[in-house]
Amino acid sequence: MKHALEVAHRRRDDWIADLIECLRIPSISTKPDYSGKMQECAEWIVTHLREMGIENVRVEQTAGHPMITGRHIVDPKLPTVLVYGHYDVQPPEPVDLWTSPPFEPEIREGKIFARGAVDDKGQLFMVLKAIQAYLESDDKLPINLKFALEGEEETGSASLPAFLEAHSRELGADTLLVCDTTMMDPATPTLTSALRGLTYVQVDLRGAKGDLHSGAFGGSVTNVLHVLADVIAALHDDNNRVAVPGFYDGVANATGDVRAQVAALPFDMTRWRESAGGSVPLMESGYSIAEATSIRPCLDVNGVWGGYQGDGAKTVIACEAHAKLSCRLVAGQDPEGIFEKIKSYIASIVPDGIEARVTPIGYSSPFSANPDSRGMLAAATALEEVFGRSPVMYRGGGSIPAVAMFHDALGVEATLMGFGLKSDNVHAPDEHFGLDRFENGLQSVIRFFHHFGSRK
Amino acid sequence: MKHALEVAHRRRDDWIADLIECLRIPSISTKPDYSGKMQECAEWIVTHLREMGIENVRVEQTAGHPMITGRHIVDPKLPTVLVYGHYDVQPPEPVDLWTSPPFEPEIREGKIFARGAVDDKGQLFMVLKAIQAYLESDDKLPINLKFALEGEEETGSASLPAFLEAHSRELGADTLLVCDTTMMDPATPTLTSALRGLTYVQVDLRGAKGDLHSGAFGGSVTNVLHVLADVIAALHDDNNRVAVPGFYDGVANATGDVRAQVAALPFDMTRWRESAGGSVPLMESGYSIAEATSIRPCLDVNGVWGGYQGDGAKTVIACEAHAKLSCRLVAGQDPEGIFEKIKSYIASIVPDGIEARVTPIGYSSPFSANPDSRGMLAAATALEEVFGRSPVMYRGGGSIPAVAMFHDALGVEATLMGFGLKSDNVHAPDEHFGLDRFENGLQSVIRFFHHFGSRK
């Protein structure tokens, strides 16, 4: 792998330029208007893979956004890595809070700023460029490769189960490599051993047939915005526990062992506060920040809107009110069951005369990795070589629906090796990725391929 | 006045066409982008008055939108009517709920649909055309006229006090005629004897410096959208009384007399429910619908927004949350004092780490008319002649800040004679005005001028 590492180091700036080209494509999966851009981005990546020398790849249509799939078989006797990643990104709003435009990547102070810089185009490129490093060097690729890159990660991977069912035989592999997670801090190599699940819900309330004048009707009608506030206020109790009946059913009480594991991970309050934009911590009563964002579930409202939102005054009683909310789930919780509990609870709060529509927008199952799998062990060796210390095992707070789906469909173990930081503004304005971490990630993946290929 | 009444009847369709021309101008006072349209609308009305034969009128600039002012002295010995009205309109949003576009007036089933059709361009035109009816007929105008038409009624008449102070000598009059109120129902002529006051407030909450990823931070930070919901939920108690401390200070307990007056007014539950778009009634505990919208104050949230509001899912914890809210006030309540109470109360609810900015957007004092003034008596006679029954005296639920301002600045009594209906969708999509009511209003104003001029 020595030559591949050298090539990667020498070619880094060219490859950042390739990444910038990909980041310019606004592949926003959640917005229907951007479906053309999604197709364009998928085709761009396939063309790029072919130019690298991976011929056998293609864009494959689904009921939603296209998948990129294919294979590169070096030697049937070698183990196979199935590369997962996603080329879709979150919407850039609020756009006016970005320092540079979200789809005009800019490098400032050693970081690349753009929507998707780290989640996930930047991290996916570490893997693609690790492959290119072998292909351009005198080192032979020590593994076979398969690809399943999707365009719906940010919207819940709705088309992935059907795709996996249709392609289960051709996608069989010895590990699923996922570079879409974070490190504890820039000096602490991190393997993610668990992911929280997700239930994402939209709530639409309707009162009167139309908006009403607040002079003529103020004081005499149920105000749908007040009802929305009552619903949201009722989602948590005074201990900041989720008040939806049955929400914690099936969630194991944290044992001393698990709590000790979480407590043993590095945690720096100053760094946390900075990443959290100066937030005051507020957790489920009795749990630490680290516990509340890993081994405990939670519920957050992600957006609300209704009535007049323009300049100045409009004296109106609105007829509609809306909210988006989502739960992060842990082992023992079923995403669809949680949705049903939320729906029933909201129905029990909303008064007569207000119509409530509660709709699921996305699900993701909670996931736990096998820390002794061939992939996790190879990744641990690779990370130790690059960072000079063995990686920590981290239960992540986020969700990657695909990981549980691959496990369910193919029985494949996952290797979650990520290089993001909580302070990268993922899903927020000024998302960025440090070029140093891009290079460390690239070197780590090159080494991972080597160790995964040679390990018995 | 016989000839004037005949001219008005004959010319009705021409005058509706004039009104339609005025309704085409989107004079939305609350939106800064529309200041050019405000100027255009004021100039259009002045040109129109001059074409009618009222030469001595002009557009006069203020710190906000322009005023239209001037006079038409027929004979110094005649009594003088100061005509008030407003050429500004509410924003048309939500535009997609209009059957025809808000600024492309359309007549359907004997009603004219447009923003401003009744509030207030349509009602102002009844007065302007009553004047034109005299000018085009053999009947001499039986009164002198002065004009003070404003462009800031929908935003709280902020520039009016300074204008009135500067022009108090030239605006002296024997009554202020205001056609900007409603009738109890199409068959019940109505004089408005009181108006509620208004305090309009914007609430801006800020949490973290920027939006946060709900996977990384969900369960560990104060969510500003939850705080907004807590604030709104805390604005009312379980009896649907406003929970802001001191809100009801100074409000008289309703006496049996006042309650009997309210109860004696016509009230049709079927018609109310239709006007209220099918709303389920919800009042301050112990009060009827009619009481809750006339002799009792109230508080309504008019709009909320924050976080992700687009299609699909965005797993974000927002850093900002916003609400607009307003109170309708009755005699004994001071609009600025109510603002201070709301501001203190919100500050007491918002937790550490959330910054709350509470800003006043507009004020209007509650108003009570003298039912025995020369203007009210002349209006009662006019309405009785047109409708065949004497008018009811109605305490209105809405607010016209200007009315108290004129009284304070000029000492002038007001005559509030209106022809709107609660079902006209004022401030809402599909605002409309019945052409039959336009004609009844026009005839009533012609007769009002006659009786006001001849009454001693």
Side-chain angles (χ1 to χ4, degrees):
Chain A
M1 70 182 159
K2 186 165 152 271
H3 298 104
L5 292 170
E6 285 165 7
V7 167
H9 186 70
R10 196 177 65 237
R11 292 270 279 152
R12 195 199 72 164
D13 288 353
D14 302 335
W15 294 349
I16 292 290
D18 292 342
L19 170 59
I20 284 176
E21 220 179 300
C22 184
L23 289 169
R24 285 189 194 281
I25 306 170
S27 46
I28 306 167
S29 50
T30 201
K31 297 195 177 180
D33 288 355
Y34 284 75
S35 61
K37 293 293 173 188
M38 293 299 298
Q39 180 72 27
E40 178 186 336
C41 191
E43 284 170 6
W44 187 95
I45 291 170
V46 162
T47 303
H48 197 71
L49 280 164
R50 289 190 181 140
E51 284 168 2
M52 278 167 47
I54 307 288
E55 296 291 342
N56 188 10
V57 284
R58 65 189 189 278
V59 172
E60 182 147 332
Q61 300 307 320
T62 71
H65 296 302
M67 295 283 307
I68 297 159
T69 188
R71 56 173 65 200
H72 182 79
I73 304 301
V74 178
D75 177 345
K77 279 179 257 156
L78 290 173
T80 300
V81 173
L82 174 56
V83 176
Y84 168 78
H86 64 94
Y87 65 90
D88 65 323
V89 298
Q90 284 272 324
E93 285 80 12
V95 174
D96 56 336
L97 296 185
W98 286 75
T99 306
S100 50
F103 297 107
E104 297 175 24
E106 202 174 286
I107 295 174
R108 297 194 296 274
E109 297 174 1
K111 296 167 191 159
I112 182 162
F113 287 81
R115 171 59 82 231
V118 61
D119 178 20
D120 179 44
K121 288 175 179 172
Q123 296 212 66
L124 172 60
F125 260 68
M126 299 177 324
V127 182
L128 304 187
K129 295 305 176 180
I131 297 165
Q132 189 170 0
Y134 279 101
L135 296 174
E136 287 190 9
S137 78
D138 296 334
D139 292 328
K140 194 183 106 176
L141 254 177
I143 48 161
N144 297 314
L145 286 162
K146 295 184 179 177
F147 298 92
L149 313 181
E150 71 161 328
E152 299 182 8
E153 198 274 343
E154 300 294 359
T155 58
S157 301
S159 304
L160 189 58
F163 175 84
L164 291 176
E165 198 179 320
H167 299 80
S168 62
R169 288 189 49 187
E170 64 201 87
L171 289 175
D174 299 290
T175 195
L176 177 76
L177 176 63
V178 181
C179 292
D180 192 22
T181 53
T182 54
M183 310 173 68
M184 299 293 302
D185 62 59
T188 306
T190 307
L191 287 169
T192 293
S193 63
L195 293 167
R196 291 198 286 187
L198 184 78
T199 295
Y200 201 108
V201 178
Q202 180 154 335
V203 180
D204 300 292
L205 303 182
R206 177 166 264 282
K209 256 187 352 214
D211 289 351
L212 299 174
H213 188 295
S214 75
F217 293 97
S220 71
V221 295
T222 305
N223 182 321
V224 73
L225 297 179
H226 300 182
V227 175
L228 183 71
D230 290 342
V231 166
I232 295 172
L235 292 171
H236 291 84
D237 68 14
D238 292 344
N239 293 316
N240 203 36
R241 283 171 62 86
V242 178
V244 176
F247 182 79
Y248 294 97
D249 288 359
V251 177
N253 286 324
T255 63
D257 265 13
V258 168
R259 302 190 75 164
Q261 285 165 21
V262 174
L265 295 173
F267 183 84
D268 179 324
M269 191 62 205
T270 306
R271 191 187 300 275
W272 181 86
R273 202 181 285 274
E274 199 178 310
S275 310
S279 293
V280 168
L282 178 67
M283 289 77 70
E284 180 190 352
S285 186
Y287 292 95
S288 69
I289 291 175
E291 288 170 340
T293 54
S294 62
I295 59 171
R296 297 300 297 173
C298 63
L299 185 158
D300 270 292
V301 174
N302 306 108
V304 297
W305 69 104
Y308 186 64
Q309 300 155 50
D311 292 315
K314 189 179 181 199
T315 47
V316 75
I317 298 177
C319 63
E320 293 181 356
H322 310 272
K324 291 184 191 264
L325 60 90
S326 58
C327 303
R328 299 289 174 169
L329 308 175
V330 298
Q333 291 180 302
D334 163 43
E336 298 190 27
I338 292 291
F339 167 73
E340 293 299 336
K341 286 169 184 170
I342 293 171
K343 185 175 175 177
S344 303
Y345 184 54
I346 290 177
S348 76
I349 296 170
V350 169
D352 278 0
I354 302 292
E355 185 194 325
R357 199 152 43 94
V358 182
T359 319
I361 293 191
Y363 295 124
S364 177
S365 295
F367 168 79
S368 299
N370 171 4
D372 296 322
S373 71
R374 178 177 181 149
M376 289 289 262
L377 294 173
T381 307
L383 289 170
E384 188 165 356
E385 289 172 358
V386 172
F387 288 87
R389 51 189 287 199
S390 59
V392 298
M393 298 294 267
Y394 172 65
R395 291 177 176 85
S399 310
I400 309 177
V403 175
M405 292 175 185
F406 276 98
H407 188 265
D408 292 349
L410 310 177
V412 64
E413 300 275 11
T415 303
L416 279 69
M417 175 167 54
F419 301 87
L421 288 176
K422 281 198 182 183
S423 54
D424 286 343
N425 290 355
V426 165
H427 291 202
D430 281 350
E431 176 180 346
H432 59 271
F433 194 21
L435 297 182
D436 53 342
R437 282 181 283 131
F438 178 87
E439 180 152 15
N440 280 343
L442 177 55
Q443 301 270 335
S444 298
V445 178
I446 291 170
R447 289 176 183 274
F448 167 76
F449 288 161
H450 172 80
H451 295 298
F452 192 73
S454 54
R455 186 175 287 268
K456 288 288 166 287
Chain B
M1 72 183 156
K2 185 162 154 272
H3 299 103
L5 291 170
E6 284 165 9
V7 168
H9 186 69
R10 193 177 69 238
R11 292 269 279 151
R12 195 199 72 163
D13 287 354
D14 302 334
W15 293 350
I16 292 291
D18 293 341
L19 170 59
I20 284 176
E21 221 179 299
C22 184
L23 289 169
R24 285 190 194 283
I25 306 170
S27 47
I28 305 167
S29 51
T30 203
K31 297 194 177 180
D33 288 355
Y34 284 75
S35 62
K37 292 295 174 188
M38 293 299 298
Q39 180 73 28
E40 178 186 337
C41 191
E43 285 169 6
W44 188 95
I45 291 170
V46 162
T47 303
H48 197 71
L49 280 164
R50 288 188 181 141
E51 286 167 2
M52 277 167 49
I54 308 287
E55 295 293 340
N56 187 13
V57 284
R58 65 187 189 277
V59 172
E60 181 147 331
Q61 300 306 321
T62 71
H65 296 302
M67 295 283 307
I68 297 160
T69 189
R71 56 174 66 201
H72 183 79
I73 304 301
V74 179
D75 176 345
K77 277 178 258 157
L78 290 173
T80 300
V81 172
L82 172 55
V83 175
Y84 169 77
H86 64 93
Y87 64 90
D88 65 324
V89 299
Q90 284 271 325
E93 285 80 11
V95 174
D96 56 334
L97 297 184
W98 285 75
T99 306
S100 50
F103 297 106
E104 298 175 23
E106 203 174 284
I107 295 174
R108 298 193 296 274
E109 298 175 359
K111 296 169 192 158
I112 182 162
F113 287 82
R115 171 59 84 230
V118 60
D119 179 18
D120 180 45
K121 289 175 178 171
Q123 296 213 67
L124 173 59
F125 260 67
M126 299 177 325
V127 181
L128 304 188
K129 296 306 177 178
I131 298 165
Q132 190 170 0
Y134 279 100
L135 296 175
E136 288 190 8
S137 77
D138 296 334
D139 291 327
K140 195 183 104 176
L141 254 176
I143 48 160
N144 296 313
L145 287 162
K146 294 183 180 177
F147 297 90
L149 313 180
E150 70 161 329
E152 300 182 9
E153 197 274 343
E154 300 295 359
T155 60
S157 303
S159 306
L160 189 58
F163 175 84
L164 292 176
E165 199 180 320
H167 299 78
S168 61
R169 288 188 52 185
E170 64 199 88
L171 288 175
D174 299 290
T175 195
L176 178 77
L177 176 64
V178 181
C179 291
D180 192 21
T181 53
T182 53
M183 308 172 70
M184 299 294 300
D185 62 57
T188 305
T190 306
L191 287 170
T192 293
S193 63
L195 294 166
R196 291 198 285 187
L198 184 78
T199 295
Y200 202 107
V201 178
Q202 179 154 337
V203 180
D204 300 292
L205 303 181
R206 175 166 266 282
K209 254 186 354 211
D211 289 351
L212 300 174
H213 188 294
S214 76
F217 293 97
S220 71
V221 295
T222 305
N223 182 321
V224 72
L225 297 180
H226 300 182
V227 175
L228 183 70
D230 289 342
V231 166
I232 295 172
L235 292 172
H236 292 84
D237 68 15
D238 293 344
N239 293 315
N240 203 38
R241 282 171 63 86
V242 177
V244 176
F247 183 79
Y248 294 97
D249 288 358
V251 177
N253 286 322
T255 62
D257 264 13
V258 169
R259 301 190 76 163
Q261 285 165 21
V262 174
L265 294 174
F267 183 82
D268 179 326
M269 190 62 204
T270 307
R271 189 188 299 276
W272 182 86
R273 201 180 286 276
E274 199 179 309
S275 309
S279 293
V280 167
L282 178 68
M283 288 77 70
E284 180 190 353
S285 184
Y287 293 94
S288 69
I289 291 175
E291 288 170 341
T293 53
S294 61
I295 60 170
R296 297 300 298 173
C298 64
L299 185 159
D300 271 290
V301 174
N302 307 108
V304 297
W305 69 104
Y308 187 64
Q309 300 154 52
D311 292 315
K314 188 178 181 200
T315 47
V316 76
I317 299 177
C319 63
E320 293 182 355
H322 310 273
K324 290 183 192 265
L325 60 88
S326 58
C327 303
R328 299 289 173 168
L329 308 175
V330 299
Q333 290 180 302
D334 162 44
E336 298 191 27
I338 291 291
F339 167 74
E340 292 300 335
K341 287 169 184 171
I342 292 171
K343 185 175 174 177
S344 302
Y345 183 54
I346 291 176
S348 76
I349 296 169
V350 169
D352 278 359
I354 303 292
E355 184 194 323
R357 200 152 42 94
V358 182
T359 319
I361 294 191
Y363 295 123
S364 178
S365 296
F367 167 78
S368 300
N370 171 6
D372 297 321
S373 72
R374 179 176 181 152
M376 289 289 263
L377 294 173
T381 306
L383 289 170
E384 187 166 356
E385 288 172 359
V386 171
F387 288 87
R389 50 190 288 202
S390 60
V392 297
M393 297 295 268
Y394 172 64
R395 290 176 175 84
S399 311
I400 309 177
V403 175
M405 293 175 186
F406 276 98
H407 187 266
D408 291 349
L410 310 177
V412 65
E413 300 275 10
T415 303
L416 279 68
M417 176 168 56
F419 301 88
L421 288 175
K422 281 199 181 183
S423 54
D424 286 343
N425 291 354
V426 166
H427 293 203
D430 281 351
E431 177 180 346
H432 60 272
F433 193 22
L435 298 182
D436 52 342
R437 282 182 284 130
F438 179 87
E439 180 152 13
N440 281 343
L442 177 53
Q443 303 269 333
S444 299
V445 179
I446 292 170
R447 288 176 184 273
F448 166 76
F449 287 160
H450 172 78
H451 294 298
F452 191 74
S454 54
R455 186 176 285 270
K456 287 291 168 284

